[in-house]
Amino acid sequence: MTATEVEIVEVGPRDGLQNIAKFIPTEVKIDLIRRIADAGFTRMELGSFVSPKAIPQMQDMEAVMAGLPPMPTVAGMTLVPNAKGARRAVAAGVKNLIFVLSVSEAHNQSNVRRSTEASIADFKAMLEEIDPLNELTIRVGLATCFHCPFDGVTDEGQVMAMLEKIIPLREGMDYAISDTTGMATPAHVKSLTKRCIDTFGGSARFGFHGHDTAGFGIANVLAAMDSGIRSFDTSVAGLGGCPFAPGATGNIPSEDVVYLFQRLGVTTGIDLEKLLDAGTMILAESGSPMASHARAIPRARLFADLLGIPPSQAVAA
């Protein structure tokens, strides 16, 4: 992947929807996933195999998976909190699993009710049970890498210490360095992501997962890119928020990141107009507030800027 090419990982169907109180019908979730795939995303979160008591929005995951059309160009990932969730995911045909670990002890207890050491042991046992032949693609979401809602700013040394324990468990995994609460600053993002790449870049792949609570989301994306990150998690229309991180708001909007990169001449492979349409649909269905700056720009002006022509010459979609 060159400096003029990035990967945008769409997390809306999982991280975007999980915090919405209104239950989104199965067919709407399937339609959202289909629209996102049609917009050109090659990797996305489809949902999570978690307890319906913990995350009621994800209670229909088996039905979602069964109803999806073939998507040969898309790596569809699902989050699994433990071996039970992993068994459900594999039984449903999932080949790409996400396992979340919190760097912060307090957040890990809030999220999965166990210590970080216990979660690492669970992760190792899950790998040995579910995928002894190393046939699945595994992603590790490292939560609270920059800030914890209970403990405040996370020391970089804590993140590095956790990576030292996890990376040897299996080759070929990738890691989402996550600003779970959306409180990270660009300087912190650049420093930590560069340190991760410099220290472990030969044996691990890294992406940046941010939220936009403090309004630093786009600036943090650029800071991560400046350090060498080329994979970024975003959510359609800026939907999202962690139910176990008080005060955390939505993810960085996919539309804003795609629009930014296109203005900078960076290739994303994403059809912005189809992405905007997907966001319009899910906002109407969910009743959620719109968090994307790009969506607030009239489409004629939006695409005129991309084409380098006056808005009067652009045809509104």
Side-chain angles (χ1 to χ4, degrees), residues 13 22 94 114 127 138 231 247 304:
K22 174 187 175 183
V94 178
R114 56 179 60 84
L127 291 176
I138 307 294
S231 180

Side-chain angles (χ1 to χ4, degrees), residues 238-272:
L239 296 177
C242 177
F244 306 105
T249 58
N251 293 272
I252 301 171
S254 300
E255 298 91 332
D256 292 3
V257 174
V258 171
Y259 181 55
L260 169 69
F261 281 139
Q262 289 187 4
R263 290 288 300 273
L264 295 176
V266 177
T267 300
T268 65
I270 307 302
D271 185 316
L272 180 57

Side-chain angles (χ1 to χ4, degrees), residues 120-287:
I120 293 172
D122 289 347
F123 179 50
K124 183 175 185 294
M126 184 196 77
L127 291 176
E128 293 171 349
E129 175 192 343
I130 301 300
D131 191 29
L133 300 180
N134 198 6
E135 296 175 330
L136 301 175
T137 299
I138 307 294
R139 188 184 208 211
V140 178
L142 280 185
T144 60
C145 286
F146 303 94
H147 180 270
C148 168
F150 311 105
D151 295 335
V153 176
T154 303
D155 185 86
E156 288 186 8
Q158 291 179 259
V159 181
M160 305 307 286
M162 177 163 276
L163 285 169
E164 287 177 355
K165 296 175 182 178
I166 300 170
I167 288 176
L169 297 181
R170 175 168 298 200
E171 294 182 2
M173 297 190 295
D174 76 300
Y175 301 83
I177 304 301
S178 304
D179 178 21
T180 305
T181 64
M183 297 298 290
T185 64
H188 193 177
V189 170
K190 183 176 180 179
S191 174
L192 178 59
T193 52
K194 186 177 188 304
R195 188 172 175 183
C196 289
I197 292 171
D198 289 347
T199 306
F200 301 110
S203 56
R205 302 185 306 276
F206 295 100
F208 174 68
H209 176 105
H211 288 243
D212 202 30
T213 307
F216 302 152
I218 287 291
N220 286 338
V221 165
L222 291 176
M225 187 179 186
D226 197 34
S227 76
I229 297 291
R230 294 293 179 265
S231 180
F232 305 91
D233 289 6
T234 64
S235 177
V236 60
L239 296 177
C242 177
F244 306 105
T249 58
N251 293 272
I252 301 171
S254 300
E255 298 91 332
D256 292 3
V257 174
V258 171
Y259 181 55
L260 169 69
F261 281 139
Q262 289 187 4
R263 290 288 300 273
L264 295 176
V266 177
T267 300
T268 65
I270 307 302
D271 185 316
L272 180 57
E273 189 162 10
K274 290 182 177 180
L275 174 59
L276 288 166
D277 289 342
T280 298
M281 183 279 293
I282 195 59
L283 286 172
E285 291 285 349
S286 66

Side-chain angles (χ1 to χ4, degrees), residues 297-314:
I297 302 172
R299 286 206 191 185
R301 186 187 308 166
L302 191 77
F303 288 101
D305 289 341
L306 292 177
L307 295 170
I309 61 175
S312 60
Q313 296 179 17

Side-chain angles (χ1 to χ4, degrees), residues 11 105 218:
V11 303
E105 284 285 346
I218 287 291

